[in-house]
Amino acid sequence: MKILIATTNIGKIKEFQEILNKKKIFEIFTLNDLNISVDVEETGNTFEENAEIKATFYSKLSKMPTISEDSGLVIDSLNGEPGIYSARYGGENLNDNDRVELVLKKMTKIHKEERSARFISVICGVGFGSRALFSRGELEGFISSSKQGNKGFGYDPIFSPIGDNATLATKEIDEKNKISHRRKSIEIFLNKLIKDKIV
Ligand code: ITT
């Protein structure tokens, strides 16, 4: 089955490909492969709403079964920030490293026991059946006191899974993909497709 993975985030694309290519279920197309460069505004108030906005928009453009993902980092001591605003936290002109520094700065006075956080991934698939399909995966962890590692993307240099003192940015992609929020939501999504006999 040919599908579109509709994300503009290169880190996400690599992780989706690493996980899905092993399954040999789909022939994966990216927005780049289809020469689609238009962006869609994420006007939703939840991960689910934003994932559906993206999947609906890009499935109309591509006329292909389309998977989108809305994800983010939820930090308890910052009242759930950056949450659905993870990609644009602190303003549109910041890069990944600036956002990491911003989080560390906001959390300088917060003790180890109060640095709990989780990554959330919500996938929406449009064009696989008559209705949109959703799945959600979460990874519990904590925010480290300083940056560590240079692999991965986004907030990986300051996020360590529970029981692990190393951040996600110290892990190879296949190690991260064994435990990540994205891996969990992909597995749940695939199980729904299998249960509904779509693949
Ligand atoms: P698309 O909407 O095109 O998919 P995006 O980067 O704008 O790309 P989101 O709106 O879903 O995607 O924002 C997700 C942000 O959450 C992402 O930019 C990172 O800052 C952060 N994030 C999500 N998953 C992450 C992960 O596995 N590691 C580190 N940061 C992550």
Side-chain angles (χ1 to χ4, degrees):
M1 178 188 245
K2 292 182 179 175
I3 63 161
L4 170 64
I5 304 288
T7 172
T8 58
N9 182 318
I10 292 164
K12 282 191 194 180
I13 293 175
K14 283 189 188 150
E15 293 182 10
F16 268 102
Q17 285 175 330
E18 203 271 341
I19 295 167
L20 286 173
N21 283 341
K22 285 183 184 160
K23 309 264 181 197
K24 298 190 165 71
I25 300 174
F26 302 121
E27 188 183 343
I28 295 172
F29 289 80
T30 63
L31 292 172
N32 235 349
D33 294 331
L34 304 183
N35 285 322
I36 297 176
S37 56
V38 272
D39 221 344
V40 55
E41 213 187 328
E42 298 181 26
T43 52
N45 293 312
T46 61
F47 291 111
E48 280 76 7
E49 283 173 11
N50 282 335
E52 188 169 9
I53 288 170
K54 292 187 264 191
T56 306
F57 179 82
Y58 289 114
S59 78
K60 272 195 190 127
L61 274 183
S62 65
K63 301 183 175 58
M64 281 171 78
T66 298
I67 286 177
S68 277
E69 185 216 51
D70 203 53
S71 52
L73 177 63
V74 172
I75 303 174
D76 294 321
S77 60
L78 298 182
N79 298 317
E81 284 184 10
I84 62 166
Y85 303 106
S86 292
R88 38 194 158 136
Y89 196 46
E92 303 281 348
N93 49 348
L94 300 196
N95 62 26
D96 273 2
N97 185 56
D98 297 333
R99 283 186 282 273
V100 159
E101 297 285 358
L102 176 63
V103 169
L104 285 178
K105 195 165 153 225
K106 287 194 177 215
M107 295 184 67
T108 33
K109 295 212 173 83
I110 299 173
H111 290 120
K112 171 99 209 267
E113 318 77 65
E114 281 151 24
R115 297 177 76 90
S116 57
R118 66 205 55 78
F119 271 125
I120 295 179
S121 158
V122 171
I123 287 177
C124 177
V126 168
F128 292 89
S130 52
R131 282 177 301 135
L133 283 178
F134 292 90
S135 62
R136 173 183 273 243
E138 301 194 6
L139 177 65
E140 292 288 336
F142 60 94
I143 305 299
S144 54
S145 52
S146 60
K147 288 188 280 183
Q148 193 192 9
N150 54 14
K151 301 185 176 83
F153 68 98
Y155 299 92
D156 283 342
I158 53 167
F159 182 93
S160 299
I162 277 178
D164 189 344
N165 275 326
T167 68
L168 287 181
T170 65
K171 300 185 191 308
E172 297 298 335
I173 187 168
D174 56 327
E175 286 299 311
K176 177 179 171 186
N177 283 345
K178 279 183 192 155
I179 56 167
S180 76
H181 48 307
R182 186 157 296 109
R183 168 64 180 274
K184 290 174 188 163
S185 60
I186 291 173
E187 293 290 349
I188 293 167
F189 191 83
L190 289 180
N191 284 336
K192 286 193 178 181
L193 293 184
I194 291 166
K195 188 168 156 273
D196 290 352
K197 300 192 167 52
I198 293 166
V199 293

